[in-house]
Amino acid sequence: MGENTHYKESGKFSPAGAVLMVLATAVCGGALFWLYLLFEGWCTIIYLNVFAAVAVSFALGFVGGKIVRAFKMRNTVVAVACAVVGFLLATYFKWALYDYNDLKKYGYELMEEYTAYDYYDELNMLFDEDTNDFSERYEVYHQAKAYELFSNDSTGDFTDEDIATMQKQTVWQFFDFDKLLGKDESTAKKSLEKSYTMNAYDYTYDYRDYDKTGLFDIIAHPSDLWNDVKSINEEGRWSYKSSHSSRDNGSLVNGTLLWIVWGGEFVLLLAFLVAGVSNASKKPFIESEDDWAEYKNLKGAYRFMVPEDIKSFKTSMEQSPYTLFDYQTAVTQFLPTYMVIDCYVSKSGNENYLTVYQQTINPKNKNPDTKVLVKNLFVDGDFMNRLYSLANFAPQMQNVQQTPQ
């Protein structure tokens, strides 16, 4: 980095670091999304859920910046790309977890409200509560092709894929009765009788011993997850009165509007991550020391008068950073508009980067409005030593506030 030039990222990164950054972003993002969904499941106020999304987005940006520093990513494009890939992996986990929670809350709840006979349409469509003719039906359903039975007036209820399958399978095979009722006649008849009195949940998972769908089952089947998401979107899960589904809660938000809400949430969560990663990767990095420069917050230690010609001041600073000292004034002197500084310094003290800000006191709230005049201008060790000496600061700057980056 030559003298009197601004810092420019080197573009360096390690392939291993890029892969690790993807994984770290995915893991950290997944953990934050788990907490986010946990809060959503507990909180019934929609506006608080919006604030929670903002908070998670800020957290993603903060964590993303830390990950960039940990893996020394000095290439903004690569850093952002890695963060986005990790975010997409975390988002996939988020939707799988959302679907899993939805299944437990609404799917299992619904199963407990109905008998198995009523819940499984194929049972009440093919059988009735009088099982005297069960043996005859058992034989017929084992022999008859499903398409032959339903081709007259019912195939309109099935997809083309279902019809193709029905043409190859018997009724018993098509409706998977071996699993739902049993593999032999006596077991099937007894199961059918149980279906009249047991709720669908107990019948399915206790009596018939089905395996429950787990989170990893959902993760492993993206097409099923997508179908579930579309189904949830079609039905809706929350209304303007509440963030959660309720049968007497008014009209549920669904369809196009719900896609827009989900899309907005996606953009919000991603925005701060990209901003945090991009900002962190552009911070000064000392290549000769293979480490990030240390940030020094000097805004409260020095104050400078604002020059009449800002453009000429910037040009002069490019030619000689020592121009800044011509404008120094006492920190205690009141000025409605003034300049302050901060910088990034190397361990050796030979490579440092100065930023100059203009601050103007806002008369309404007495807080300063800030804009950057000169950003990350290279200054050498002699400049920093002179700066320190002006305020009787030792070179180590022990009394200067150090802000974590």
Side-chain angles (χ1 to χ4, degrees), residues 256-314:
T256 301
L257 181 57
L258 186 53
W259 286 123
I260 292 173
V261 171
W262 285 344
E265 179 192 56
F266 177 87
V267 172
L268 173 63
L269 293 172
L270 179 60
F272 285 95
L273 173 62
V274 170
V277 167
S278 178
N279 290 337
S281 65
K282 293 176 181 177
K283 301 291 185 185
F285 187 92
I286 311 302
E287 297 294 337
S288 61
E289 298 174 355
D290 191 35
D291 200 3
W292 299 95
E294 181 183 5
Y295 177 71
K296 301 284 187 179
N297 183 359
L298 307 177
K299 292 185 178 73
Y302 304 93
R303 183 169 292 187
F304 305 86
M305 294 181 292
V306 177
E308 292 182 3
D309 190 339
I310 296 295
K311 185 176 181 180
S312 296
F313 170 75
K314 293 180 180 180

Side-chain angles (χ1 to χ4, degrees), residues 302 322 325-326 381-391:
Y302 304 93
Y322 290 85
F325 297 119
D326 296 337
D382 290 338
F383 178 94
M384 296 303 298
N385 288 333
R386 179 174 174 181
L387 183 68
Y388 297 157
S389 66
L390 287 175

